[in-house]
Amino acid sequence: MPALLDVSKPHSARVYDYYLGGKDNYEIDRATGERAAKSWPAVRTAVRENRAFLGRAVRFLVQEAGIRQFLDIGTGLPSGNNVHQIAQSLEPTSRVVYVDNDPIVLVHANALLTSRPEGKTSYIDADLRDPRGILDDPAVSGTLDFDEPIALMLVAILHFLTDDDDPRHIVSTLLEALPAGSYFTASHVTPEHDPDGVRGLESTYRAGGIPAQARDSATFTELAFAGLDVVDPGVTLVSEWRPDPGHSRPPAGQVNWYGGVARI
């Protein structure tokens, strides 16, 4: 068992893995996930839609925006279609730095997030609440070239920052470090379409020691994308962001998750 791994407390990455049908989670994570799902029964649908949004965003960034470098913070446990797998399948020279702060994620990331030989992947154990520490990590500067555009990915992580964490400062610190022509992708849970269900999930996470704060789409847009050039179709439900042809999209009350991509 990795050092510092506390299986008596749930972790957001492991609960997310449970919702995706993964096996790298513990009883406390499954129990927390089930309690939250009683309040918001569609949470698994929402998680799958968010994961699909991540994939479509990466494809857009590589194929249409010409991005070859990614800084993915809040990576979570490796599953299918990770950022580097999608990016390198389209452009083998793509380079990715993954960031998370759970020991079990570190173990699995080091084992599974392996690059194609033409590109490069790195993983660092760090906390989004210390953006300067992330940017100053040698693995980041050793993998990414800050003279060339970089895609910052904050997918399904900002709702784990409360207002007390000063998320605007965190986001601005990261964005200010990126060169012109970079892109920013983010997604966030909203209470707008199922307030009782989402607030119940939020309360369950907090009771388990996981900070959580759902925000409406206007607040999320201001937090993440103020002053940026948001690409079409704007900040929208993740299921509605450039959906694949023929994809059956669930109703808003089952998704409750907004996302967007912007050019810096």
Side-chain angles (χ1 to χ4, degrees), residues 152-182:
L152 171 65
M153 315 294 287
L154 297 182
V155 175
I157 186 67
L158 289 173
H159 45 244
F160 295 117
L161 297 178
T162 68
D163 288 344
D164 290 341
D165 294 314
D166 196 0
R168 285 178 175 79
H169 171 73
I170 292 169
V171 171
S172 64
T173 299
L174 292 166
L175 293 179
E176 288 168 5
L178 302 182
S182 294

Short mmCIF file of all heavy atoms in Angstrom, two decimals, residues 152-182:
data_model
loop_
_atom_site.label_atom_id
_atom_site.label_comp_id
_atom_site.label_asym_id
_atom_site.label_seq_id
_atom_site.Cartn_x
_atom_site.Cartn_y
_atom_site.Cartn_z
N LEU A 152 -4.16 24.01 -20.71
CA LEU A 152 -4.40 23.76 -19.29
C LEU A 152 -5.75 23.09 -19.15
O LEU A 152 -6.77 23.60 -19.65
CB LEU A 152 -4.38 25.08 -18.52
CG LEU A 152 -4.82 25.02 -17.06
CD1 LEU A 152 -3.86 24.18 -16.22
CD2 LEU A 152 -4.95 26.43 -16.48
N MET A 153 -5.79 21.95 -18.46
CA MET A 153 -7.01 21.18 -18.28
C MET A 153 -7.39 21.17 -16.79
O MET A 153 -6.65 20.62 -15.96
CB MET A 153 -6.82 19.75 -18.77
CG MET A 153 -6.12 19.60 -20.12
SD MET A 153 -7.04 20.27 -21.50
CE MET A 153 -8.34 19.02 -21.64
N LEU A 154 -8.51 21.79 -16.47
CA LEU A 154 -9.07 21.73 -15.11
C LEU A 154 -10.47 21.14 -15.23
O LEU A 154 -11.48 21.81 -15.04
CB LEU A 154 -9.11 23.11 -14.46
CG LEU A 154 -7.78 23.81 -14.21
CD1 LEU A 154 -8.00 25.15 -13.50
CD2 LEU A 154 -6.84 22.94 -13.38
N VAL A 155 -10.52 19.87 -15.57
CA VAL A 155 -11.78 19.18 -15.85
C VAL A 155 -12.24 18.46 -14.59
O VAL A 155 -11.51 17.63 -14.03
CB VAL A 155 -11.61 18.21 -17.03
CG1 VAL A 155 -12.88 17.39 -17.24
CG2 VAL A 155 -11.26 18.98 -18.30
N ALA A 156 -13.44 18.81 -14.11
CA ALA A 156 -14.03 18.17 -12.92
C ALA A 156 -13.17 18.34 -11.68
O ALA A 156 -13.08 17.43 -10.85
CB ALA A 156 -14.29 16.69 -13.19
N ILE A 157 -12.55 19.50 -11.52
CA ILE A 157 -11.72 19.74 -10.34
C ILE A 157 -12.08 21.04 -9.61
O ILE A 157 -11.98 21.12 -8.39
CB ILE A 157 -10.22 19.73 -10.73
CG1 ILE A 157 -9.30 19.83 -9.50
CG2 ILE A 157 -9.91 20.86 -11.72
CD1 ILE A 157 -9.34 18.65 -8.61
N LEU A 158 -12.56 22.04 -10.34
CA LEU A 158 -12.82 23.33 -9.69
C LEU A 158 -13.92 23.25 -8.64
O LEU A 158 -13.93 24.04 -7.69
CB LEU A 158 -13.17 24.39 -10.75
CG LEU A 158 -12.00 24.84 -11.63
CD1 LEU A 158 -12.52 25.76 -12.74
CD2 LEU A 158 -10.94 25.55 -10.80
N HIS A 159 -14.87 22.32 -8.79
CA HIS A 159 -15.92 22.21 -7.77
C HIS A 159 -15.41 21.58 -6.47
O HIS A 159 -16.17 21.45 -5.51
CB HIS A 159 -17.16 21.48 -8.30
CG HIS A 159 -16.86 20.25 -9.07
ND1 HIS A 159 -17.16 20.11 -10.40
CD2 HIS A 159 -16.29 19.07 -8.70
CE1 HIS A 159 -16.81 18.92 -10.83
NE2 HIS A 159 -16.28 18.26 -9.81
N PHE A 160 -14.14 21.19 -6.44
CA PHE A 160 -13.53 20.74 -5.18
C PHE A 160 -12.74 21.86 -4.51
O PHE A 160 -12.07 21.63 -3.51
CB PHE A 160 -12.65 19.51 -5.40
CG PHE A 160 -13.44 18.31 -5.86
CD1 PHE A 160 -13.21 17.73 -7.09
CD2 PHE A 160 -14.44 17.78 -5.05
CE1 PHE A 160 -13.95 16.64 -7.52
CE2 PHE A 160 -15.19 16.68 -5.47
CZ PHE A 160 -14.94 16.11 -6.70
N LEU A 161 -12.82 23.06 -5.06
CA LEU A 161 -12.28 24.25 -4.43
C LEU A 161 -13.45 25.07 -3.88
O LEU A 161 -14.38 25.38 -4.61
CB LEU A 161 -11.51 25.11 -5.44
CG LEU A 161 -10.27 24.53 -6.08
CD1 LEU A 161 -9.69 25.54 -7.08
CD2 LEU A 161 -9.22 24.15 -5.04
N THR A 162 -13.41 25.39 -2.61
CA THR A 162 -14.43 26.27 -2.04
C THR A 162 -14.01 27.72 -2.23
O THR A 162 -12.85 28.01 -2.58
CB THR A 162 -14.65 25.97 -0.55
OG1 THR A 162 -13.47 26.36 0.17
CG2 THR A 162 -14.91 24.48 -0.33
N ASP A 163 -14.92 28.63 -1.96
CA ASP A 163 -14.57 30.04 -2.08
C ASP A 163 -13.42 30.41 -1.15
O ASP A 163 -12.63 31.32 -1.45
CB ASP A 163 -15.79 30.91 -1.78
CG ASP A 163 -16.82 30.87 -2.90
OD1 ASP A 163 -16.48 30.42 -4.02
OD2 ASP A 163 -17.98 31.27 -2.65
N ASP A 164 -13.30 29.72 -0.02
CA ASP A 164 -12.20 30.00 0.91
C ASP A 164 -10.84 29.69 0.31
O ASP A 164 -9.81 30.21 0.78
CB ASP A 164 -12.37 29.18 2.20
CG ASP A 164 -13.53 29.67 3.05
OD1 ASP A 164 -13.97 30.83 2.85
OD2 ASP A 164 -14.01 28.91 3.91
N ASP A 165 -10.80 28.84 -0.73
CA ASP A 165 -9.54 28.51 -1.39
C ASP A 165 -9.10 29.59 -2.38
O ASP A 165 -8.00 29.51 -2.94
CB ASP A 165 -9.67 27.18 -2.15
CG ASP A 165 -9.87 25.99 -1.23
OD1 ASP A 165 -9.15 25.90 -0.22
OD2 ASP A 165 -10.74 25.16 -1.53
N ASP A 166 -9.96 30.59 -2.61
CA ASP A 166 -9.69 31.65 -3.57
C ASP A 166 -9.43 31.08 -4.96
O ASP A 166 -8.34 31.25 -5.54
CB ASP A 166 -8.50 32.51 -3.11
CG ASP A 166 -8.43 33.84 -3.85
OD1 ASP A 166 -9.29 34.10 -4.72
OD2 ASP A 166 -7.50 34.63 -3.57
N PRO A 167 -10.41 30.39 -5.53
CA PRO A 167 -10.19 29.73 -6.82
C PRO A 167 -9.84 30.69 -7.95
O PRO A 167 -9.13 30.32 -8.88
CB PRO A 167 -11.51 29.00 -7.08
CG PRO A 167 -12.52 29.70 -6.24
CD PRO A 167 -11.78 30.15 -5.03
N ARG A 168 -10.32 31.92 -7.90
CA ARG A 168 -9.98 32.88 -8.95
C ARG A 168 -8.49 33.15 -8.99
O ARG A 168 -7.89 33.25 -10.07
CB ARG A 168 -10.77 34.18 -8.76
CG ARG A 168 -12.24 34.06 -9.14
CD ARG A 168 -13.01 35.34 -8.90
NE ARG A 168 -14.38 35.23 -9.38
CZ ARG A 168 -15.36 34.61 -8.73
NH1 ARG A 168 -15.11 34.04 -7.56
NH2 ARG A 168 -16.59 34.56 -9.24
N HIS A 169 -7.88 33.26 -7.82
CA HIS A 169 -6.43 33.47 -7.76
C HIS A 169 -5.70 32.26 -8.31
O HIS A 169 -4.70 32.40 -9.04
CB HIS A 169 -6.00 33.74 -6.33
CG HIS A 169 -4.51 33.77 -6.14
ND1 HIS A 169 -3.72 34.79 -6.60
CD2 HIS A 169 -3.66 32.85 -5.57
CE1 HIS A 169 -2.46 34.53 -6.32
NE2 HIS A 169 -2.39 33.37 -5.70
N ILE A 170 -6.18 31.07 -7.97
CA ILE A 170 -5.54 29.84 -8.45
C ILE A 170 -5.59 29.77 -9.96
O ILE A 170 -4.58 29.52 -10.63
CB ILE A 170 -6.22 28.61 -7.81
CG1 ILE A 170 -5.92 28.56 -6.31
CG2 ILE A 170 -5.77 27.32 -8.50
CD1 ILE A 170 -6.75 27.55 -5.55
N VAL A 171 -6.77 30.00 -10.53
CA VAL A 171 -6.91 29.95 -11.98
C VAL A 171 -6.06 31.02 -12.66
O VAL A 171 -5.35 30.74 -13.63
CB VAL A 171 -8.39 30.10 -12.39
CG1 VAL A 171 -8.53 30.27 -13.90
CG2 VAL A 171 -9.19 28.89 -11.92
N SER A 172 -6.09 32.23 -12.15
CA SER A 172 -5.34 33.31 -12.79
C SER A 172 -3.83 33.07 -12.70
O SER A 172 -3.10 33.38 -13.65
CB SER A 172 -5.69 34.66 -12.16
OG SER A 172 -5.32 34.71 -10.79
N THR A 173 -3.36 32.49 -11.59
CA THR A 173 -1.94 32.18 -11.47
C THR A 173 -1.50 31.20 -12.55
O THR A 173 -0.44 31.36 -13.17
CB THR A 173 -1.63 31.59 -10.08
OG1 THR A 173 -1.96 32.55 -9.08
CG2 THR A 173 -0.15 31.22 -9.95
N LEU A 174 -2.30 30.19 -12.79
CA LEU A 174 -1.98 29.20 -13.81
C LEU A 174 -2.06 29.81 -15.21
O LEU A 174 -1.17 29.61 -16.05
CB LEU A 174 -2.93 28.01 -13.71
CG LEU A 174 -2.77 27.15 -12.44
CD1 LEU A 174 -3.97 26.22 -12.29
CD2 LEU A 174 -1.47 26.35 -12.48
N LEU A 175 -3.11 30.57 -15.48
CA LEU A 175 -3.29 31.13 -16.82
C LEU A 175 -2.20 32.14 -17.15
O LEU A 175 -1.72 32.21 -18.30
CB LEU A 175 -4.66 31.78 -16.95
CG LEU A 175 -5.87 30.84 -16.89
CD1 LEU A 175 -7.16 31.63 -17.00
CD2 LEU A 175 -5.79 29.79 -17.99
N GLU A 176 -1.80 32.94 -16.17
CA GLU A 176 -0.79 33.96 -16.41
C GLU A 176 0.57 33.37 -16.77
O GLU A 176 1.40 34.04 -17.39
CB GLU A 176 -0.66 34.88 -15.19
CG GLU A 176 -1.85 35.82 -15.01
CD GLU A 176 -1.86 36.50 -13.65
OE1 GLU A 176 -0.87 36.30 -12.89
OE2 GLU A 176 -2.83 37.21 -13.36
N ALA A 177 0.78 32.11 -16.41
CA ALA A 177 2.06 31.47 -16.70
C ALA A 177 2.12 30.91 -18.13
O ALA A 177 3.20 30.55 -18.60
CB ALA A 177 2.31 30.33 -15.71
N LEU A 178 0.97 30.86 -18.81
CA LEU A 178 0.92 30.22 -20.12
C LEU A 178 1.17 31.25 -21.23
O LEU A 178 0.74 32.39 -21.14
CB LEU A 178 -0.45 29.57 -20.33
CG LEU A 178 -0.84 28.51 -19.29
CD1 LEU A 178 -2.19 27.92 -19.65
CD2 LEU A 178 0.22 27.42 -19.18
N PRO A 179 1.84 30.82 -22.29
CA PRO A 179 2.11 31.74 -23.40
C PRO A 179 0.86 32.03 -24.22
O PRO A 179 -0.13 31.28 -24.17
CB PRO A 179 3.15 30.98 -24.23
CG PRO A 179 2.89 29.55 -23.94
CD PRO A 179 2.46 29.50 -22.50
N ALA A 180 0.91 33.11 -24.97
CA ALA A 180 -0.19 33.44 -25.88
C ALA A 180 -0.41 32.29 -26.85
O ALA A 180 0.53 31.61 -27.26
CB ALA A 180 0.12 34.72 -26.63
N GLY A 181 -1.68 32.07 -27.18
CA GLY A 181 -2.02 30.97 -28.07
C GLY A 181 -2.33 29.69 -27.35
O GLY A 181 -2.69 28.69 -27.98
N SER A 182 -2.21 29.71 -26.02
CA SER A 182 -2.56 28.54 -25.22
C SER A 182 -4.08 28.44 -25.10
O SER A 182 -4.82 29.36 -25.48
CB SER A 182 -1.93 28.63 -23.83
OG SER A 182 -0.52 28.55 -23.89
#
